[in-house]
Amino acid sequence: MKNNEKMFGIKSIRTKLILIMIGMLGFTLAAIWFMNRIFLPAYYQHSKVSMLEGCYDNANSIINSDSDYKSGESATLSDDSTLDLEILSENNTSNVYVFRLNNFFGKVYYQYDYPSENVITQFQKEDVIDKTKDYVIGIEDTQSFAVKDKKRHLMMLTDNYSVYKVLDERIGSYYIELFGKLDSGAFIYVSTNYQSMTENIGIFNSFLLYVGIGVIVFGVVIMVFIGNNFTKPIRQLTGIAQKMADFDFEVRYPVKSDDEIGALGSSINTLSENLEEKISELKAANNELKKDIENKIQIDEMRKEFLSNVSHELKTPIALIQGYAEGLQDNINDDVESREFYCEVIIDEANKMNKMVKKLLTLNQIEFGNNQVSFEHFDIVQVLKSVINSALLLAGQKEAVITMEDYEPLYVWADEYMIEEVVTNYISNAINHVDGEKKINVSMVKHDDVVRVSVFNTGKCIPEEELDKIWIKFYKVDKARTREYGGSGIGLSIVKAIMDSMNQKFGVINHDDGVEFWFELDTEN
């Protein structure tokens, strides 16, 4: 919600862009309106004056080009000159009068060369006489075209003509008038309506206001459309960046252009890929670090547990040896049989301690790689038979029967001495835990290039939650029974260490009537 508010609020680039463009349009229109209102009247007035000056020059040129009129051979202008003056008047939206002054018995008479006497109306004659008599009187009095009159405002004065801004009080309108003398000696009077200019400016400004409003509305629509298209890739990049902030690096920006946005999109894509790779590497390193920490903790715990187990395992035989030795020293029993019994107990406990220490040394050598694995090609069937024959006496004492089918020789690749140790531990473990029907069966199953050797014994199953723990040093499922047969809890740990050193699989399976321990070996190169 907040992101949407930011996107459509003042902070949005699109909104800022639209507001800036509206402001620029409004400022431009306001500037045009202000310029029209302040400077256009002066410019228009200057243009009108220039137009009247042009009329004077053109009229002078037209009359000068009429050779008959200029030389005095003709009292009137030619038809061509008259037409040219009419065109000049119409094209400049002005009234042009060309006349001469005749003085009869002290009275001035106007003789019109343009418009001709038969075209100009009486009203026009009186109007022109009324507007020009002050100019004529001024020339006669001062030999200048300047006229002092409150109704007239002098705009320009030359040797040949003057330009005035005149107020017509009768109709309340302003006119711009030019009065001068042509090269032919004739006078020229040109007037144009100045009030229409003010009306035109007002109309134009009103029109500009309406057009400006329409332009702004249309501009807003266009800018919204342009702003959406312009900011769409930016919004896409913003969304991608937000997902990257949430560690989602799957989204990519579709680069469709070679401009700055396209370059930024390519950079974002590259950054996303690099971050994903680096974070993946960091996670992997962190995972390895966690494993190392866990392994260190586990090693510390194993070290503590190892010391505790070794102390516990050695405590009982040491106590027995110490007790029976002290008994012998104190001559508690004088008869020979009692002394021999004491000695047998001491020797038996010492042997147990010796076996446990040897097993620990063997396990330590295997685990730390001090005991190098020597791969040999040997008959596994022969090894199994040899270990079984060695264990028959111990099995007989437990009233257990060891069986194995008569297999053909099968050669495997492994360390023969270590495999013999594994088989010995499996069969010894089976003899120590056999129960019920007291059957022990050794079997083999070959599959492709691998043979699985299994040792099964009838009896109690191992609790499922403890199946993974039996390979840990000194771990005992039934501690009382283990102590009964003198087990140390190291045999299966040795099996695990041996099989790991050869990168071979091993395990244990519970059955309804017993437990099966197995391991696998390669039969080919």
Side-chain angles (χ1 to χ4, degrees):
M1 186 67 181
K2 291 182 178 179
N3 291 336
N4 291 334
E5 290 177 357
K6 290 181 179 179
M7 187 174 294
F8 294 100
I10 299 299
K11 296 182 179 180
S12 170
I13 294 178
R14 180 182 62 178
T15 304
K16 289 180 180 178
L17 182 63
I18 293 172
L19 292 177
I20 290 172
M21 295 305 298
I22 292 173
M24 292 178 64
L25 283 174
F27 176 78
T28 303
L29 293 173
I32 294 174
W33 181 86
F34 178 79
M35 297 285 286
N36 285 342
R37 192 169 185 83
I38 301 300
F39 299 105
L40 185 59
Y43 177 77
Y44 188 79
Q45 181 175 284
H46 173 75
S47 298
K48 281 291 186 180
V49 172
S50 298
M51 181 267 292
L52 293 179
E53 289 182 294
C55 286
Y56 172 85
D57 293 334
N58 289 331
N60 196 27
S61 176
I62 291 170
I63 292 175
N64 287 338
S65 64
D66 194 334
S67 57
D68 293 338
Y69 178 82
K70 183 179 180 181
S71 61
E73 297 178 0
S74 174
T76 60
L77 292 171
S78 65
D79 292 339
D80 291 338
S81 298
T82 302
L83 178 62
D84 290 338
L85 288 173
E86 184 177 356
I87 293 172
L88 176 66
S89 176
E90 292 296 328
N91 288 345
N92 291 278
T93 62
S94 59
N95 297 317
V96 178
Y97 297 92
V98 178
F99 58 89
R100 287 174 290 172
L101 298 178
N102 294 322
N103 193 341
F104 291 98
F105 304 102
K107 189 174 182 179
V108 177
Y109 291 93
Y110 285 75
Q111 178 181 341
Y112 291 93
D113 295 329
Y114 177 82
S116 61
E117 291 284 350
N118 60 344
V119 173
I120 189 171
T121 64
Q122 185 62 33
F123 175 78
Q124 288 175 318
K125 290 180 181 180
E126 293 176 355
D127 184 56
V128 172
I129 292 171
D130 182 59
K131 291 181 178 180
T132 60
K133 65 181 180 179
D134 291 334
Y135 295 116
V136 173
I137 294 172
I139 294 174
E140 291 178 346
D141 293 340
T142 64
Q143 300 300 313
S144 172
F145 292 100
V147 176
K148 294 182 180 180
D149 191 341
K150 293 182 179 179
K151 297 179 182 179
R152 292 180 172 89
H153 173 68
L154 180 63
M155 301 176 68
M156 180 173 290
L157 178 64
T158 68
D159 294 336
N160 297 321
Y161 59 85
S162 61
V163 180
Y164 284 87
K165 182 179 179 182
V166 182
L167 173 64
D168 189 339
E169 294 180 343
R170 184 174 62 85
I171 61 177
S173 296
Y174 282 95
Y175 288 85
I176 297 179
E177 299 177 348
L178 182 145
F179 182 80
K181 195 172 185 179
L182 301 175
D183 294 341
S184 64
F187 293 96
I188 183 171
Y189 170 76
V190 184
S191 69
T192 184
N193 192 330
Y194 183 75
Q195 191 68 28
S196 61
M197 182 275 298
T198 305
E199 294 174 358
N200 289 338
I201 292 174
I203 294 172
F204 179 76
N205 284 336
S206 299
F207 176 74
L208 183 65
L209 176 62
Y210 294 122
V211 170
I213 294 173
V215 168
I216 289 176
V217 173
F218 182 72
V220 169
V221 175
I222 295 298
M223 287 310 303
V224 169
F225 177 75
I226 295 176
N228 284 334
N229 291 336
F230 183 77
T231 59
K232 182 179 179 181
I234 298 177
R235 296 199 302 272
Q236 283 183 288
L237 290 172
T238 302
I240 293 173
Q242 289 173 347
K243 289 186 178 181
M244 288 173 61
D246 296 330
F247 299 100
D248 182 3
F249 302 103
E250 298 298 325
V251 182
R252 294 290 184 271
Y253 177 76
V255 179
K256 299 179 181 179
S257 61
D258 296 329
D259 55 9
E260 290 81 356
I261 296 295
L264 179 59
S266 299
S267 299
I268 289 290
N269 290 341
T270 303
L271 177 62
S272 178
E273 293 173 1
N274 292 339
L275 282 177
E276 184 177 14
E277 181 181 352
K278 297 303 179 184
I279 289 177
S280 177
E281 292 177 359
L282 285 175
K283 285 184 177 180
N286 186 51
N287 187 48
E288 291 296 325
L289 181 59
K290 286 182 178 179
K291 288 182 179 179
D292 292 341
I293 293 173
E294 290 175 358
N295 289 336
K296 183 179 181 302
I297 294 173
Q298 186 177 5
I299 289 171
D300 289 341
E301 293 296 326
M302 290 174 63
R303 179 179 58 81
K304 293 177 183 178
E305 185 180 359
F306 176 76
L307 292 175
S308 176
N309 289 330
V310 169
S311 300
H312 178 74
E313 293 296 329
L314 293 178
K315 180 176 66 176
T316 301
I318 289 175
L320 289 173
I321 291 172
Q322 182 179 3
Y324 281 96
E326 289 175 353
L328 289 175
Q329 186 179 23
D330 295 337
N331 293 318
I332 294 177
N333 294 308
D334 294 334
D335 57 288
V336 177
E337 291 181 0
S338 296
R339 285 197 301 271
E340 289 181 355
F341 174 74
Y342 275 44
C343 291
E344 288 176 0
V345 170
I346 292 172
I347 293 171
D348 184 53
E349 294 299 326
N351 287 332
K352 289 180 181 178
M353 289 175 60
N354 186 43
K355 289 181 181 179
M356 184 177 69
V357 170
K358 285 182 178 180
K359 288 184 177 181
L360 285 174
L361 290 174
T362 301
L363 179 60
N364 184 71
Q365 290 176 347
I366 296 173
E367 286 182 338
F368 287 94
N370 295 328
N371 192 8
Q372 295 295 325
V373 178
S374 176
F375 283 92
E376 303 170 280
H377 204 209
F378 64 91
D379 182 8
I380 185 63
V381 177
Q382 187 61 40
V383 172
L384 293 175
K385 289 180 178 180
S386 175
V387 176
I388 291 172
N389 290 332
S390 300
L392 287 176
L393 179 61
L394 184 59
Q397 293 175 356
K398 292 281 188 174
E399 298 180 355
V401 178
I402 303 176
T403 61
M404 185 181 77
E405 294 182 15
D406 190 13
Y407 293 103
E408 294 291 331
L410 179 61
Y411 287 86
V412 296
W413 285 97
D415 189 310
E416 184 175 359
Y417 172 77
M418 289 186 177
I419 295 301
E420 185 176 351
E421 185 73 15
V422 170
V423 176
T424 301
N425 278 290
Y426 272 178
I427 292 179
S428 297
N429 187 71
I431 293 172
N432 292 328
H433 291 86
V434 70
D435 203 355
E437 297 181 1
K438 293 189 176 182
K439 292 182 179 179
I440 300 173
N441 181 54
V442 180
S443 61
M444 290 192 313
V445 176
K446 187 175 182 299
H447 180 70
D448 295 334
D449 296 335
V450 175
V451 60
R452 172 175 287 196
V453 178
S454 300
V455 178
F456 170 80
N457 67 272
T458 58
K460 294 181 180 180
C461 294
I462 301 172
E464 292 294 329
E465 66 274 9
E466 298 189 17
L467 284 176
D468 294 334
K469 300 177 182 179
I470 61 175
W471 311 101
I472 301 174
K473 290 187 289 290
F474 298 110
Y475 187 82
K476 302 170 184 176
V477 178
D478 187 349
K479 295 182 180 180
R481 183 167 182 178
T482 304
R483 181 62 193 168
E484 180 182 333
Y485 65 79
S488 60
I490 302 175
L492 293 180
S493 300
I494 294 176
V495 171
K496 180 180 183 304
I498 290 174
M499 299 310 297
D500 287 341
S501 67
M502 292 189 293
N503 296 317
Q504 297 293 348
K505 297 179 181 179
F506 63 98
V508 59
I509 302 173
N510 276 328
H511 294 278
D512 294 337
D513 56 345
V515 180
E516 175 189 354
F517 284 87
W518 59 271
F519 66 89
E520 294 181 349
L521 296 175
D522 295 328
T523 59
E524 299 291 339
N525 280 328

